Structure formats: structure tokens, C-alpha cells
Amino acid sequence: MRGKIWRLYQRITYRNYLTSLIHKGRTLNPKVIPAEQVLEMATINGAKCALLEREIGSLEVGKKADLIILNPNTIHSLPLHDPIANIVYTMSSENVESTMCNGKWLMKNREILVLNESDLIEQVKIKSEEIKTKAKIVLPNRFPVVDII
């Protein structure tokens, strides 16, 4: 789950970065789509697009408390002169410390609280083998893999 949360955040942050970068390159204007606008697109404007702005997209009384807590103290996120720009341009899933969905902690201090991650990984391995067998998929052994316990 932690990996899934991190990958999701990684995809979101990468898309935020690309959103800004593509428009800057297309217009040759470094001020087009500033970091604040990209962050709004990912939060409140994303909620508006989904017609959910009354429920999510910002932290307000009466809305679901969906949030992530970021740790900016990683080598790729420093120096922290502009926190919003750092969120858009430099932070990644590595910076995610905690996540909350609808007021419930899913991960806190990098520890998954809602399931056993090791059990889930084992279940995924078993199911993936079952799917390969059922679909009669045979993958070539291109590299020697050794399981380390």
C-alpha cells in the first residue's frame, strides 16, 4: 500500500510538473502556468472538474479531510525557498510522510495503518501467478533471479 500511495503521488507530481513545463516550452514564457496555478489545478480545480468541489479539493469545515503530509527535508527538495514551487517541481513520493482519506489516517509516519503490506505483497504474487497460469502466459527467463529471504 505504501508503494501504491507513493506511486500515485509520484504520478500526480510528475503530471503537475509536466503541466507547467509543457506550457512554458510551448509558449517560451517561463511565467506561464505558475506553480500556484498548477497546485490549484491538482486540488480545488480537480475537484471542480469531478463535480466534487463541495466535498473535496480544499481543507474546509464540512468537507472530507483528504490530505497528504510532505517532508521537504530530502536532498532533491532543498533548498526550500518557495514551498509551493518545491511541491510542484521537486517533491516526489519520497516526500510523503502521512496520508489521510475522509479523516482517517491511511499512513502515518510512513507506516501503513489500514492493512498488512507484507501480506498484500504475498497475495499479489500468488494471484499474479494464478493469472499467468490461467491465461497460459509463458514468460521467457531472460535473467537469473534469486529470491533473498
Side-chain angles (χ1 to χ4, degrees), residues 29-41:
N29 180 350
K31 295 183 179 182
V32 169
I33 314 275
E36 293 84 356
Q37 187 175 354
V38 173
L39 190 59
E40 287 175 350
M41 290 166 72

Side-chain angles (χ1 to χ4, degrees), residues 26-85:
R26 184 182 60 79
T27 63
L28 300 178
N29 180 350
K31 295 183 179 182
V32 169
I33 314 275
E36 293 84 356
Q37 187 175 354
V38 173
L39 190 59
E40 287 175 350
M41 290 166 72
T43 55
I44 189 65
N45 290 340
K48 287 177 183 175
C49 285
L51 303 176
L52 295 172
E53 69 270 20
R54 291 183 180 161
E55 297 176 39
I56 62 172
S58 61
L59 292 177
E60 298 179 45
V61 174
K63 287 189 174 185
K64 295 179 180 180
D66 295 345
L67 58 93
I68 58 172
I69 296 176
L70 301 170
N71 176 358
N73 294 316
T74 57
I75 195 68
H76 66 273
S77 298
L78 295 172
L80 187 65
H81 297 302
D82 181 347
I84 294 175

Side-chain angles (χ1 to χ4, degrees), residues 132-133 135-141:
K132 270 185 8 185
T133 302
K136 298 179 183 169
I137 297 171
V138 179
L139 299 174
N141 186 4

